Amino acid sequence: MNTPTPFDEPATPSFSPLYQQIKTLILQSLQAGEWKPGEPIPSEMDLAVRYRVSQGTVRKAIDELSAENLVVRRQGKGTFVATHAEQHVQYRFLKLVPDEGDPSTEGPAVRTIVDCKRLRASADVARALGLRTADAVLQVRRVLAYGGVPTILEDLWLPGAPFKGLTAERLRAWPGPMYALFETEFGVRMVRAEEKIRAVLPDAEQAALLDVTLQMPLLSVERVAHTYHDTPMELRRGLYRTDTHHYRNQLG
């Protein structure tokens, strides 16, 4: 089998820095599943030989992948493909934290799957997921409760083809984070997300599920999560109670 090199990748612009070309090649291997989540990738020396570049070039590429949480360096053990199954990244995209204490003392949320159904994508869902209107999607609704208090109501939409076979029963039976299920059972790893945040009032059904009044302001968080190469794989719309929690984001 021919070993790929940055010099026989016609899709790579010639003006791209060499380490960026190596990063692209490593990403291609990650996307293809050559190295699975949680598994080690080859050493910097082995990758340098594979791609016919210096070890320093490979190190710079891996530095960027590590900064983007796509790989994890472990002292004395090597570099591993990041996974949502790891404790410290399980809730990487969940920024709601308790006013008192911290998420580690609060413990995991109790999840209730309200619904999981297949339907046709509306225009706005199709646009967010890069699909055509009326393409098949899965819609999931769930409630997350902390200390017995329903705190987050989420509606999420997934493209139908990559998540064929996902059911409410599978979601209820899965013990870990939802993204770990996507990664382990469907080969889809969420690597990046973008969010829109605003304050809203709930409708009657939303208020009932969160046990709040129609006059209680909620934090609306709309997120589009992407897998490798910026492919959108999930649209998630969450309503967050902020009477005992707040949204915290670390900048810089």
Side-chain angles (χ1 to χ4, degrees):
M1 184 177 65
N2 292 330
T3 301
T5 79
F7 309 107
D8 48 30
E9 289 291 323
T12 303
S14 59
F15 56 81
S16 177
L18 186 55
Y19 79 91
Q20 287 283 358
Q21 297 179 44
I22 301 305
K23 177 185 175 183
T24 297
L25 293 175
I26 295 174
L27 276 172
Q28 288 174 356
S29 293
L30 290 171
Q31 184 181 35
E34 181 176 348
W35 312 305
K36 302 287 192 270
E39 292 182 353
I41 68 172
S43 68
E44 291 177 0
M45 183 177 299
D46 288 341
L47 289 173
V49 171
R50 172 174 177 166
Y51 297 129
R52 304 176 196 169
V53 296
S54 72
Q55 195 170 335
T57 298
V58 171
R59 183 176 300 115
K60 193 169 183 180
I62 292 177
D63 283 344
E64 286 207 354
L65 293 169
S66 177
E68 294 169 9
N69 296 302
L70 299 178
V71 298
V72 178
R73 282 194 169 104
R74 295 177 182 163
Q75 187 66 35
K77 295 183 178 180
T79 302
F80 294 74
V81 183
T83 170
H84 288 285
E86 291 184 26
Q87 188 65 38
H88 71 284
V89 295
Q90 281 186 359
Y91 304 102
R92 176 180 160 205
F93 298 137
L94 180 58
K95 304 296 184 180
L96 200 70
V97 297
D99 293 337
E100 303 293 336
D102 57 58
S104 63
T105 60
E106 182 178 50
V110 175
R111 298 164 296 178
T112 301
I113 303 298
V114 179
D115 200 7
C116 178
K117 57 189 177 184
R118 296 185 72 87
L119 43 76
R120 298 295 178 183
S122 61
D124 61 326
V125 170
R127 184 166 50 251
L129 293 177
L131 304 173
R132 295 172 299 182
T133 300
D135 277 355
V137 293
L138 277 169
Q139 181 180 2
V140 178
R141 169 168 279 195
R142 70 173 185 171
V143 176
L144 304 181
Y146 294 93
V149 178
T151 306
I152 303 174
L153 170 63
E154 291 183 321
D155 288 296
L156 56 115
W157 292 264
L158 306 163
F163 293 95
K164 184 178 181 180
L166 182 62
T167 63
E169 290 71 28
R170 291 184 75 175
L171 288 167
R172 293 185 183 112
W174 182 257
M178 187 178 289
Y179 281 172
L181 170 66
F182 296 168
E183 177 183 284
T184 304
E185 300 294 319
F186 298 93
V188 175
R189 172 168 162 72
M190 305 301 185
V191 300
R192 184 182 72 82
E194 54 194 32
E195 294 181 333
K196 298 177 183 177
I197 303 174
R198 57 171 62 92
V200 300
L201 293 175
D203 61 28
E205 185 178 4
Q206 293 165 343
L209 287 167
L210 285 174
D211 194 22
V212 298
T213 68
L214 293 172
Q215 291 73 42
M216 182 174 180
L218 300 172
L219 193 64
S220 167
V221 180
E222 179 174 303
R223 176 199 307 161
V224 177
H226 301 74
T227 186
Y228 298 110
H229 299 295
D230 278 340
T231 303
M233 277 290 176
E234 178 200 62
L235 169 64
R236 185 179 299 219
R237 291 172 178 158
L239 293 179
Y240 294 23
R241 286 179 58 165
T242 57
D243 48 340
T244 58
H245 290 69
H246 61 275
Y247 191 93
R248 183 176 66 194
N249 204 359
Q250 183 173 338
L251 305 178

